[in-house]
Amino acid sequence: MTQRKILVTSALPYANGAIHLGHLVEYIQTDIWVRFQKQRGNDCYYVCADDAHGTPIMLKADRDGITPEELITEVGKSHFADFSEFGITFDNYHCTHSPENKTLSELVYTRLRDAGHISSRTITQAFDPVKNMFLPDRFIKGDCPKCGAKDQYGDGCEVCGANYSPTDLKNAVSAVSGATPIEKESEHYFFNLANFTQMLRDWTTAGHLQAEVRNKLAEWLESGLQQWDISRDAPYFGFEIPDAPNKYFYVWLDAPIGYMASFQNLCDKTDLKFDDFWGIDSDVELYHFIGKDIIYFHALFWPAMLKGANFRTPDAIFAHGFLTVNGEKMSKSRGTFITARTYLDHLNPEYLRYYFAAKLSNSVDDLDLNFDDFSQRVNSDLVGKVVNIASRCSGFIRKKFDNKLSATCVEPELFTEFIAANETIAESYENREFGKAMREIMALADKANQYIDDKKPWAIAKEEGKEAELHDVCSVAINLFRILAAYLKPVLPMLTSEAEVFLNAPITTWIDALQPLVNHELQDFKPLMTRVEADKIAAIIEASKTDLLKA
């Protein structure tokens, strides 16, 4: 098999709040895919960073009485700790407020400018006369001009769904100071996205996108591409635009460049070469995992920016849907807006990794976390099927055979059948059809348990002269368990690591290279996973409500 060279990113979490379960859908999905690629022997790198610029971060730091730099440092540490405890392993995790990102953002901008893709003009915006700052749409509130609903944002009504301009709001006030905004003129810089209309028509129809995403982009392209405002006025936390004093790059310009910057930071620490991955002639595979709400930025602006600045474009963008909890949008009042940390305080992170894997496909459909289904699936599949194989048979091996497996595999056809499933399971992993892969793996777990039920080692153990048969049966079961652990390694790295200790044998390759363990000494078996308890889920929901009261 030819070794592939792959660079993978997830969308950058915004550095003004905690990681929550909705975020984790993406990072778990990406991490599983990356771990699978590495287990297959591919040269795969996974980079990410905190998205650290913009008005919300500047204002939050001001409210907290700290500098934006202090805020993003503090939030960055908590993000990284949450990711680490969920087994999400980056080859590099960085921050967009970095020297690498400043250099690359300026490079992309100046290349676009010099190629004639940047223009400027004067625009009129809402201005807060108390805070002396221009107001983004989300920082203006008032009455909806369509339905009259109060306390709506400047870009759209959450009650009737109408979209409008902030100037249309009735009784508008600044969400920052409460003052009535005034209108003020300012020169802004624009990226002429329409210059790339034909390039984007070609790129979006060349197999880089899921069908649902491609169809949505076709609608946007059909309606005509507008100039994109890439500048913001001081005060703003971000990078100043070259040759434009007091003008800053809009956060969405430098955020995706943060992928490149994080990789540059990795290159500076290793012998990797930036141009091999990002140069116009790169043959490395480049994939972005994102949520469906940021498709516009990633599938229109980003490829156009890269093309215009003479960098390579992505091979594919993989979008996923939103997370709902018990069939509804995550809600703070119902205690279903759950942070990663609150979950970690009560439950094993690998429960969630498995549950998301079992529900994920390669579509942009939303994913529902139903707590009853969650408990049942984890308890049935992981505890009742997979771990149960080892716990049912390891005791006999330890007590009667000094923890040593038998000298031969007496069921070579069964072992071969489990190995032969690897091509189908690998294809499901590769295509991000994780739910399909989990179903295939659990079907094998059922077969392993059926083998044990048919052979009844507990009954054999009571019969005289059947020691060899007992030894063989339990050894076969342990070998089948090892294959299942190998299949689940991308999803359950911590459980697999503990299984490797018990098996006294690391799993470093893909399944097709596994041979039966014979005459092999095991370590003592320790319980690998306990059942999900209902009171732990109740505690998570209660703690999430309590967190709301503290907020």
Side-chain angles (χ1 to χ4, degrees):
M1 198 191 311
T2 308
Q3 187 185 52
R4 295 157 60 188
K5 192 170 270 193
I6 308 168
L7 177 58
V8 180
T9 75
S10 298
L12 312 184
Y14 200 46
N16 73 334
I19 300 298
H20 57 69
L21 299 196
H23 292 129
L24 285 171
V25 171
E26 180 171 312
Y27 302 101
I28 288 172
Q29 181 189 36
T30 316
D31 185 74
I32 290 170
W33 198 78
V34 168
R35 284 178 181 275
F36 163 72
Q37 297 298 345
K38 290 182 176 184
Q39 194 175 341
R40 293 279 276 178
N42 291 322
D43 201 5
C44 186
Y45 300 93
Y46 179 19
V47 300
C48 196
D50 263 20
D51 180 5
H53 287 155
T55 305
I57 284 170
M58 179 182 75
L59 293 175
K60 180 171 171 45
D62 185 52
R63 283 197 307 272
D64 293 351
I66 57 177
T67 65
E69 288 86 355
E70 287 170 324
L71 173 65
I72 63 175
T73 299
E74 187 182 301
V75 172
K77 285 177 185 170
S78 71
H79 283 181
F80 189 74
D82 289 348
F83 288 140
S84 297
E85 288 190 48
F86 270 97
I88 296 157
T89 306
F90 305 102
D91 290 282
N92 199 59
Y93 195 81
H94 205 37
C95 174
T96 58
H97 191 64
S98 67
E100 298 92 345
N101 203 30
K102 185 174 190 294
T103 299
L104 282 162
S105 296
E106 290 174 353
L107 177 64
V108 168
Y109 171 79
T110 51
R111 284 184 179 179
L112 292 173
R113 181 196 65 195
D114 295 349
H117 301 306
I118 303 291
S119 57
S120 65
R121 69 173 188 271
T122 298
I123 65 169
T124 301
Q125 284 179 287
F127 186 82
D128 185 323
V130 174
K131 281 287 188 178
N132 209 29
M133 63 180 283
F134 286 97
L135 292 166
D137 294 351
R138 295 292 283 179
F139 286 88
I140 306 166
K141 286 194 165 186
D143 304 344
C144 172
K146 301 285 170 64
C147 74
K150 298 192 179 304
D151 204 32
Q152 297 304 307
Y153 290 111
D155 55 356
C157 178
E158 292 184 340
V159 176
C160 72
N163 291 311
Y164 44 74
S165 165
T167 52
D168 297 332
L169 271 180
K170 309 293 184 192
N171 304 316
V173 295
S174 163
V176 183
S177 70
T180 301
I182 61 172
E183 291 189 352
K184 192 171 178 179
E185 289 187 339
S186 173
E187 185 183 22
H188 271 234
Y189 292 78
F190 294 84
F191 175 44
N192 300 321
L193 189 61
N195 294 2
F196 296 88
T197 300
Q198 191 54 50
M199 172 257 160
L200 288 169
R201 283 190 201 283
D202 295 341
W203 188 84
T204 57
T205 55
H208 303 296
L209 304 166
Q210 294 133 297
E212 310 101 304
V213 174
R214 186 174 65 246
N215 295 339
K216 189 66 190 171
L217 290 169
E219 290 174 27
W220 286 331
L221 283 160
E222 193 59 40
S223 61
L225 298 173
Q226 305 302 309
Q227 285 189 319
W228 179 37
D229 189 345
I230 58 163
S231 66
R232 293 296 183 266
D233 293 277
Y236 191 80
F237 184 58
F239 296 137
E240 203 165 24
I241 298 175
D243 305 323
N246 290 320
K247 303 289 179 183
Y248 291 79
F249 288 129
Y250 173 43
V251 61
W252 264 108
L253 181 121
D254 70 64
I257 297 171
Y259 300 140
M260 304 169 82
S262 184
F263 186 71
Q264 177 66 68
N265 182 255
L266 178 64
C267 290
D268 294 342
K269 296 183 282 194
T270 62
D271 59 358
L272 294 169
K273 291 182 173 55
F274 182 85
D275 288 343
D276 290 349
F277 288 74
W278 290 98
I280 196 75
D281 297 320
S282 171
D283 59 359
V284 173
E285 298 172 50
L286 172 61
Y287 301 110
H288 300 306
F289 285 76
I290 63 163
K292 65 182 179 182
D293 54 329
I294 53 174
I295 285 167
Y296 201 99
F297 294 104
H298 279 82
L300 290 178
F301 296 149
W302 180 230
M305 281 167 58
L306 289 167
K307 185 72 173 174
N310 205 35
F311 288 108
R312 56 86 49 83
T313 52
D315 285 286
I317 292 169
F318 301 137
H320 60 82
F322 299 135
L323 179 71
T324 57
V325 179
N326 293 333
E328 297 179 311
K329 189 177 176 180
M330 291 198 300
S331 158
K332 290 183 177 178
S333 62
R334 285 191 294 270
T336 57
F337 191 95
I338 300 162
T339 66
R341 184 52 48 187
T342 301
Y343 177 99
L344 288 166
D345 286 342
H346 298 276
L347 285 176
N348 181 336
E350 295 212 315
Y351 294 160
L352 194 70
R353 286 181 67 101
Y354 177 73
Y355 188 73
F356 282 172
K359 306 265 293 196
L360 275 163
S361 70
N362 59 12
S363 78
V364 296
D365 294 341
D366 291 346
L367 184 155
D368 185 51
L369 168 56
N370 177 287
F371 279 121
D372 290 339
D373 181 48
F374 170 85
S375 302
Q376 191 276 331
R377 200 175 292 233
V378 170
N379 292 342
S380 169
D381 290 1
L382 298 185
V383 182
K385 292 181 183 178
V386 178
V387 172
N388 194 38
I389 297 165
S391 62
R392 290 173 90 182
C393 296
S394 58
F396 294 118
I397 299 285
R398 180 175 59 82
K399 289 174 203 165
K400 294 184 176 288
F401 308 106
D402 293 327
N403 256 346
K404 200 166 192 180
L405 298 176
S406 64
T408 54
C409 177
V410 297
E411 299 284 354
E413 289 182 3
L414 185 59
F415 187 89
T416 303
E417 182 187 345
F418 271 54
I419 296 291
N422 87 87
E423 289 182 21
T424 310
I425 292 170
E427 186 180 359
S428 296
Y429 269 127
E430 177 69 41
N431 295 330
R432 308 178 323 286
E433 289 283 5
F434 298 160
K436 188 177 174 190
M438 295 310 103
R439 288 191 295 276
E440 289 160 345
I441 294 165
M442 289 309 140
L444 292 176
D446 285 336
K447 281 186 180 173
N449 279 296
Q450 189 61 54
Y451 171 77
I452 297 167
D453 289 344
D454 290 346
K455 295 295 184 181
K456 299 182 175 57
W458 56 91
I460 299 172
K462 292 175 184 173
E463 295 183 40
E464 289 289 327
K466 291 286 188 88
E467 284 81 6
E469 185 182 349
L470 177 66
H471 199 187
D472 288 340
V473 167
C474 291
S475 296
V476 167
I478 296 298
N479 270 291
L480 298 181
F481 167 76
R482 180 169 178 247
I483 299 172
L484 295 171
Y487 280 130
L488 288 166
K489 187 168 184 172
V491 179
L492 304 171
M494 293 172 257
L495 182 140
T496 306
S497 178
E498 290 174 17
E500 288 169 334
V501 171
F502 156 63
L503 292 162
N504 204 16
I507 298 165
T508 55
T509 59
W510 187 239
I511 288 77
D512 55 0
L514 291 182
Q515 297 295 321
L517 297 176
V518 293
N519 263 334
H520 178 83
E521 193 166 329
L522 305 175
Q523 300 288 338
D524 284 351
F525 178 79
K526 293 173 184 168
L528 297 174
M529 188 172 275
T530 56
R531 293 171 59 81
V532 180
E533 302 296 344
D535 61 330
K536 296 287 179 63
I537 291 171
I540 286 175
I541 292 171
E542 197 53 42
S544 299
K545 290 178 184 171
T546 307
D547 290 346
L548 172 66
L549 297 174
K550 288 178 184 171

